[in-house]
Amino acid sequence: MPEMTYSEAINAALREEMQRDPKVYILGEDVGIFGGCFGVTKGLFEEFGPGRVIDTPISETAIIGTSVGAAAAGLRPVPEIMFMDFMAVCLDEVFNQAAKMRYMFGGRAKIPMTVRTVCGAGFGAAAQHSQSLEAWFTHIPGLKVVMPSTPADAKGLLISAIRDNNPVMFIEHKVLYGTSGPVPEGEYTIPLGKADIKREGKDVTIVATSMMVHKALAAAETLAAEGIEVEIVDPRTILPLDKDTILQSVAKTGKLVIVEEAVKFGGFGGEIAAIVTEEAFDLLDAPIKRIGAPFVPVPFSPVLENAYIPSAGSIVNTVKSLG
Amino acid sequence: MSFSKERLLELYKSMVTIRTFEETAAELFANGEIPGFVHLYSGEEATAVGVISQLEPQDYIASTHRGHGHLVARGGDVALMFAELFGRQTGYCKGKGGSMHIADMSLGFLGANGIVGAGLPLAAGAAFACKYQNNNGVAVCFFGDGASNRATFHEALNIASIWKLPVIFVCENNMYGISMSQERHQNITDVADRASAYGIPGISVDGNELFAVYEAAEEAIRRARQGEGPTLMECKTYRYRGHFEGDATVYRCEEELQSWKLKDPINRVKKRMIEMGVFSEEENQAIWAEVKTIVQKGVDFAKNSPLPDEAELVEDVYCD
């Protein structure tokens, strides 16, 4: 299996789906000639031309709005919103149009649109270019929300998202773009709504998403040296959520730590904690712990930003605190 | 423009159907038989019919919260429409959408819309799909003067202009965005003036004059089909009823309403058709009676239709 970066894996998924299905096209700010702000769409403009790799004006509302209209009319758009923070200027098109059209129309419409966007701190990009806003989207029936943590997951999940007949938020993490890993070649899909166990263990379950999977893996190494074996569950898709894999892991370990990069208050981790509490309280040997960002905007100064992002050290300490 | 007698009767009947549908809906709402909000189109019929009667089956329409007229003009089934207004299982949307979300994808009708101005980018997207698939289709978006202040208007017109999309943006300028008169909500009198900001044609017509609307739409649709790009078309008209049923319309005066009723779009067509010898007053009466029967049958169908099963609540959220 070839090694690829997360960015290359996404690029490969886009290329393969565009080769397979002429209804698939991509659009967004600087995705064409420029190759994407993070270089993710590099080479696609040259291969598929300006009719299918479309540079748009700075018009997030029109990017998503036209995508919804085109999807309703039978195409499979893959719009890119350069930073997840910018979703705030096109939320109506996602929340009130794309997500609800099927239901409002009594099941007589489908919106096969995959919105690619980028979350996460760690680049010194400050408060308007670094947020993890996935919880917003999980609150809207009709959407699917995907957060890949590895190159292989990014490829397999993106292909599935593009083939899905529902609007999907595909949330990439900017710090992960340069990370490498083995990626299956050719046709490779991962079903949306299927979690992956990134590390097996018997003592404590850690549910972590996106970049936090890697923080959890680092913490697991430290903890293993101290004789604590953690199991890391990566939901990969947070909507729909693979509750069964989480509950099965908790049944094994009896302890749960949830790690997310988003602001902890009101974050998606709270939903996971609530589900486990409601459905499997008897399995728990200790209170559920959540780790997330403090209730502040993402700061600029690297010292502050570093303090903002949940660390492997805080995961280690939290796991140990469970006794 | 020359029309056959059949064509004129068809256009007229479409307008009469819209008016009858709306006045019937008003009555039903007043009787407490229709839940939720309804926004009625009475007075604006020439705009819907003048534009939509020229569309082809492959074309798309993005409508508004005041959308019944657009769907009737597109050939929507009034029985399914009433069933939707009544929240019945047999309605266009199985009772899940109501007046504000009536859609018929089989007619390329992308829905009424509860969000003012939301239709503009949707229509541009549908027009993009037509162009992308090279199927000679066009998309029409209706919106009001109020919506012309939204970001969606500006972003959609800009993107449609640079992509030369086959879309016709039809502003139904009925002089009010809910209670805000046009002079209070924008510093222009012709919304069509905004076209120049996007380098596209803008035309303002008497929206109560069917043939003026028809002629302007004919050219806009021709341009769109021939790859010449979008047009902003403004139809100046007036809603006889309030923003929604139950609106006391304290923001406008009776004289203004009456002055617009003197320019009633249906009466103007009727007068012209009688002058042209297309039909007599008796035949006119017969048309209203025939339409009334169809509309009443639709109401009966709706009232006799089952309510949705509660199990329907969680269906249709996702598509396989």
Side-chain angles (χ1 to χ4, degrees), chain A residues 22 24-25 51-52 54 59 61-62 65-66 69-70 72-73 75 92 96-97 102-108 142-143 165-166, chain B residues 60 91-94 96-97 101 103 105 110 113 115 118 121-122 125 128-129 132 152 155 163 313 315-320:
Chain A
V24 177
Y25 69 98
R52 294 182 70 196
I54 305 166
S59 298
T61 298
T66 61
L75 299 186
D92 178 65
N96 287 321
Q97 311 300 327
R102 182 169 184 80
Y103 191 83
M104 292 190 303
F105 299 172
R108 292 177 177 121
L143 298 178
N165 283 324
N166 299 283
Chain B
Y60 289 95
Y92 257 116
C93 311
K94 303 186 200 165
K96 289 177 176 173
H101 306 296
M105 300 302 283
L110 301 170
N113 208 309
I115 306 295
L122 299 183
F128 174 87
Y132 187 92
T152 49
E155 292 200 12
W163 290 352
L313 172 67
E315 298 299 322
D316 300 322
V317 181
Y318 290 97
C319 181
D320 288 337

Side-chain angles (χ1 to χ4, degrees), chain B:
Chain B
M1 268 188 313
S2 69
F3 296 97
S4 67
K5 180 180 173 182
E6 290 70 30
R7 179 68 167 153
L8 285 171
L9 285 171
E10 187 191 328
L11 299 177
Y12 184 72
K13 196 170 157 185
S14 184
M15 293 172 75
V16 171
T17 307
I18 295 171
R19 177 71 56 88
T20 309
F21 184 99
E22 297 296 61
E23 295 304 313
T24 306
E27 216 171 284
L28 293 163
F29 187 86
N31 293 341
E33 295 182 75
I34 295 175
F37 293 120
V38 285
H39 307 82
L40 302 179
Y41 197 73
S42 295
E44 304 186 13
E45 294 86 353
T47 299
V49 173
V51 177
I52 295 170
S53 62
Q54 301 185 68
L55 297 180
E56 301 289 341
Q58 75 273 23
D59 297 337
Y60 289 95
I61 296 168
S63 177
T64 69
H65 55 286
R66 199 174 307 289
H68 304 160
H70 305 136
L71 185 51
V72 169
R74 184 59 165 163
D77 184 323
V78 296
L80 302 185
M81 290 176 70
F82 273 119
E84 189 58 34
L85 262 60
F86 276 84
R88 304 293 164 133
Q89 175 68 38
T90 53
Y92 257 116
C93 311
K94 303 186 200 165
K96 289 177 176 173
S99 168
M100 262 191 290
H101 306 296
I102 292 189
D104 186 342
M105 300 302 283
S106 70
L107 294 175
F109 195 85
L110 301 170
N113 208 309
I115 306 295
V116 168
L120 288 109
L122 299 183
F128 174 87
C130 293
K131 185 174 176 169
Y132 187 92
Q133 297 177 102
N134 202 18
N135 69 5
N136 202 32
V138 304
V140 174
C141 182
F142 293 94
F143 59 98
D145 48 302
S148 72
N149 296 328
R150 280 213 56 212
T152 49
F153 170 90
H154 299 284
E155 292 200 12
L157 263 69
N158 184 60
I159 215 160
S161 71
I162 57 168
W163 290 352
K164 279 205 178 313
L165 296 179
V167 56
I168 301 99
F169 296 109
V170 182
C171 179
E172 299 176 314
N173 181 353
N174 62 20
M175 299 172 52
Y176 291 90
I178 306 186
S179 70
M180 279 286 275
S181 62
Q182 191 193 6
E183 60 182 16
R184 293 173 68 212
H185 76 60
Q186 55 192 193
N187 200 29
I188 51 174
T189 49
D190 291 343
V191 172
D193 287 351
R194 291 188 170 170
S196 66
Y198 305 101
I200 62 172
I203 180 168
S204 187
V205 299
D206 178 351
N208 277 25
E209 171 52 53
L210 177 68
F211 302 106
V213 174
Y214 196 99
E215 194 176 353
E218 191 171 41
E219 169 61 8
I221 294 167
R222 183 202 63 73
R223 289 189 74 249
R225 280 205 213 287
Q226 293 184 359
E228 294 170 31
T231 301
L232 172 60
M233 187 179 148
E234 175 186 19
C235 300
K236 292 193 190 282
T237 184
Y238 197 80
R239 55 169 153 80
Y240 288 168
R241 311 198 63 89
H243 169 65
F244 50 80
E245 285 309 285
D247 172 4
T249 66
V250 294
Y251 47 85
R252 68 185 196 188
C253 62
E254 184 61 24
E255 290 73 24
E256 182 179 281
L257 172 62
Q258 292 311 325
S259 73
W260 277 91
K261 285 195 169 176
L262 293 174
K263 298 184 276 187
D264 183 79
I266 297 179
N267 280 343
R268 282 162 81 175
V269 178
K270 182 187 102 177
K271 193 163 169 263
R272 182 144 164 207
M273 286 170 68
I274 287 176
E275 279 166 11
M276 288 165 72
V278 172
F279 63 10
S280 63
E281 181 55 41
E282 291 69 35
E283 285 167 301
N284 173 46
Q285 294 299 327
I287 288 171
W288 282 88
E290 182 197 341
V291 166
K292 195 175 176 187
T293 306
I294 294 166
V295 167
Q296 191 51 51
K297 272 188 185 162
V299 173
D300 294 342
F301 170 80
K303 286 184 174 176
N304 294 322
S305 287
L307 290 162
D309 190 293
E310 274 187 30
E312 268 290 320
L313 172 67
V314 294
E315 298 299 322
D316 300 322
V317 181
Y318 290 97
C319 181
D320 288 337

Side-chain angles (χ1 to χ4, degrees), chain A residues 99-258:
Chain A
K100 295 179 173 63
M101 278 170 85
R102 182 169 184 80
Y103 191 83
M104 292 190 303
F105 299 172
R108 292 177 177 121
K110 63 176 182 181
I111 309 296
M113 168 182 76
T114 301
V115 180
R116 288 183 45 248
T117 192
V118 187
C119 75
F123 262 51
Q128 298 170 341
H129 289 72
S130 304
Q131 296 170 88
S132 293
L133 301 169
E134 62 273 14
W136 286 1
F137 299 91
T138 61
H139 199 61
I140 305 297
L143 298 178
K144 294 189 178 183
V145 183
V146 181
M147 297 187 83
S149 67
T150 67
D153 286 354
K155 181 178 175 186
L157 291 165
L158 181 52
I159 291 177
S160 294
I162 293 170
R163 295 182 189 181
D164 199 278
N165 283 324
N166 299 283
V168 180
M169 291 297 304
F170 191 86
I171 304 171
E172 299 160 14
H173 195 295
K174 57 177 79 67
V175 175
L176 292 175
Y177 279 136
T179 60
S180 295
V183 177
E185 282 181 291
E187 175 88 10
Y188 176 60
T189 59
I190 296 169
L192 303 187
K194 186 81 192 78
D196 184 41
I197 297 183
K198 288 287 194 280
R199 179 184 174 114
E200 289 194 23
K202 60 179 174 39
D203 298 322
V204 177
T205 297
I206 298 178
V207 174
T209 48
S210 192
M211 182 63 202
M212 292 301 109
V213 171
H214 299 276
K215 297 286 173 82
L217 285 166
E221 288 296 319
T222 307
L223 290 161
E226 299 181 34
I228 301 169
E229 293 299 332
V230 299
E231 177 149 296
I232 299 172
V233 179
D234 175 2
R236 302 195 290 195
T237 304
I238 57 172
L239 183 65
L241 180 69
D242 180 357
K243 290 193 298 186
D244 292 347
T245 300
I246 295 170
L247 292 169
Q248 278 159 21
S249 180
V250 174
K252 182 162 79 173
T253 64
K255 290 171 186 160
L256 175 61
V257 174
I258 302 158

